[in-house]
């Protein structure tokens, strides 16, 4: 028989302590993940406008896509719409829309890729945590956040960061 006045026997205090411990561990995990995302954000966004237009081939594609609706839908490289690029148009659509909002500049080219790379960090954490646990999820997120090649592709106008995010979302 459980005595509801004695927290050690009745389980109410035990349940409360368990919930407090679980919430503390959960808060610690989320704090670590937030710190990792902040590190990733700093590495990807610091002094971003120094990169210029990034890859000029893709920058000219975005410029051409902004000139006509046909070029926009088919990701045409040239103003006549005769050559198309070898990448899926989703990332170029985002870059073209942003270039129409803030103007055609390096920030419009590179910011969407940087944001996609930052968003990939928590997506990787949640998808790997589900299979391998919290520790491995945090480690995977940290590695992606500080990996030099990941930072480099996030600071360029190529589609690799957007492709990485869509692949991670498809597994999550």
């Amino acid at each position: 028989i459980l005595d509801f006045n004695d927290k050690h026997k009745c389980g109410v205090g035990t349940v409360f302590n368990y919930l407090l411990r679980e919430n503390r561990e959960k808060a610690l995990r989320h704090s670590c993940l937030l710190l990792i995302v902040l590190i990733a954000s700093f590495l990807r966004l610091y002094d971003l406008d120094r990169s210029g237009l990034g890859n000029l081939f893709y920058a000219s594609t975005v410029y051409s896509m902004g000139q006509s609706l046909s070029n926009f839908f088919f990701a045409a490289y040239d103003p006549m719409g005769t050559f198309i690029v070898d990448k899926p148009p989703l990332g170029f659509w985002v870059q073209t829309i942003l270039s129409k909002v803030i103007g055609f500049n390096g920030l419009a080219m590179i910011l969407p890729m940087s944001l996609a790379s930052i968003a990939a960090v928590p997506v990787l954490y949640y998808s790997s945590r589900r299979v391998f646990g919290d520790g491995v999820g945090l480690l995977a997120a940290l590695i992606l956040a500080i990996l030099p090649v990941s930072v480099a592709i996030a600071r360029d106008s190529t589609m690799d960061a957007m492709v990485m995010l869509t692949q991670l979302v498809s597994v999550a």
Side-chain angles (χ1 to χ4, degrees):
I1 295 178
L2 294 175
D3 181 13
F4 289 103
N5 294 324
D6 187 6
K7 66 178 182 179
H8 296 293
K9 290 183 181 177
C10 75
V12 173
T14 306
V15 169
F16 180 74
N17 286 337
Y18 173 77
L19 290 175
L20 188 62
R21 185 176 67 241
E22 285 295 310
N23 286 336
R24 194 176 316 130
E25 290 174 4
K26 188 176 184 179
L28 181 63
R29 284 192 308 264
H30 286 123
S31 298
C32 289
L33 180 61
L34 179 65
L35 180 64
I36 292 169
V37 170
L38 288 174
I39 291 169
S41 300
F42 175 76
L43 292 174
R44 285 155 177 78
L45 296 175
Y46 177 74
D47 208 14
L48 192 61
D49 56 346
R50 280 184 74 182
S51 300
L53 293 174
N55 188 321
L56 295 178
F57 176 72
Y58 297 126
S60 62
T61 300
V62 170
Y63 184 80
S64 173
M65 289 172 66
Q67 301 304 312
S68 80
L69 200 55
S70 175
N71 289 355
F72 179 78
F73 284 116
F74 293 106
Y77 168 73
D78 62 326
M80 298 287 294
T82 54
F83 298 107
I84 58 173
V85 293
D86 60 340
K87 304 278 187 194
L90 173 67
F92 294 118
W93 290 342
V94 173
Q95 290 172 321
T96 303
I97 291 169
L98 191 61
S99 71
K100 289 298 184 183
V101 172
I102 66 172
F104 181 75
N105 56 32
L107 194 61
M109 300 290 100
I110 299 173
L111 184 63
M113 301 309 135
S114 295
L115 295 177
S117 181
I118 292 168
V121 171
V123 172
L124 178 63
Y125 164 73
Y126 285 114
S127 62
S128 59
R129 174 193 132 193
R130 197 171 38 143
V131 177
F132 300 109
D134 292 317
V136 172
L138 287 172
L139 181 64
L142 178 64
I143 289 171
L144 180 63
I146 64 173
L147 193 68
V149 69
S150 175
V151 175
I153 65 167
R155 297 178 64 87
D156 193 24
S157 62
T158 59
M159 302 282 306
D160 299 331
M162 188 78 68
V163 171
M164 175 179 60
L165 176 63
T166 55
Q167 287 176 343
L168 284 172
V169 167
S170 72
V171 213

